[in-house]
Amino acid sequence: MVTSKGAEDMVDTTVKDTVAEMKGIPTQELLLEQLRKETLVVTFNKLDGNERIMTCTKSFDIIPKEAQPKTDKATKEGNVTVWDTNAKGWRSFRYDRVTKVEEQKIN
C-alpha cells in the first residue's frame, strides 16, 4: 500500500525527472553524483538574470587538500555547492536555474 506521502514523493520525483529531461540536463541527484567524480561545465542563470558558465567539481581528487571541507554540512534545499576550478574557490548555484551541463573539454 502506498501512503499519500509516498505517492506525493513519487509524483514529485517524476516531475523533477521530467523537467530535467525537458531542459536536457541531469537530475539534481545525478548532477551531484557526476560532480563527485569529475569536472563539469555548468551554465546557469544567476539571481540577477545574468548567465554564468562555471567549470566546477565536488571531486576531492581535484579540490586542493587545504580547501576541502572539514565537515559534511548540508546545503540549503535546491542549492548546489561546488569548487570553481577557475576561481579556485567554493561557489553555489540554484539547481532550478541550470540551463546546460557539459563535460569539461581537455585540450
Side-chain angles (χ1 to χ4, degrees):
M1 179 175 143
V2 176
T3 64
S4 62
K5 179 69 176 157
E8 184 180 301
D9 288 345
M10 275 187 3
V11 170
D12 191 40
T13 299
T14 304
V15 170
K16 288 177 182 177
D17 291 349
T18 302
V19 170
E21 188 175 319
M22 288 173 60
K23 290 171 76 174
I25 61 172
T27 62
Q28 184 171 349
E29 293 76 20
L30 185 56
L31 176 61
L32 290 169
E33 187 178 310
Q34 286 179 283
L35 285 164
R36 285 186 200 100
K37 298 176 186 173
E38 61 186 315
T39 300
L40 299 174
V41 179
V42 178
T43 304
F44 60 94
N45 293 316
K46 294 172 30 174
L47 293 177
D48 66 8
N50 290 323
E51 183 179 77
R52 169 93 194 275
I53 300 171
M54 182 173 17
T55 304
C56 54
T57 190
K58 289 178 84 66
S59 170
F60 285 175
D61 293 338
I62 299 166
I63 301 167
K65 196 76 150 167
E66 63 276 5
Q68 292 179 8
K70 310 293 184 260
T71 63
D72 193 21
K73 186 174 120 182
T75 57
K76 199 165 117 182
E77 177 81 26
N79 282 0
V80 179
T81 302
V82 294
W83 177 259
D84 182 331
T85 59
N86 296 324
K88 299 194 182 340
W90 289 99
R91 304 289 186 270
S92 66
F93 55 85
R94 298 228 5 112
Y95 172 77
D96 61 0
R97 295 180 154 277
V98 174
T99 57
K100 189 176 185 182
V101 177
E102 302 172 287
E103 289 186 12
Q104 180 186 28
K105 292 178 179 62
I106 299 172
N107 297 331

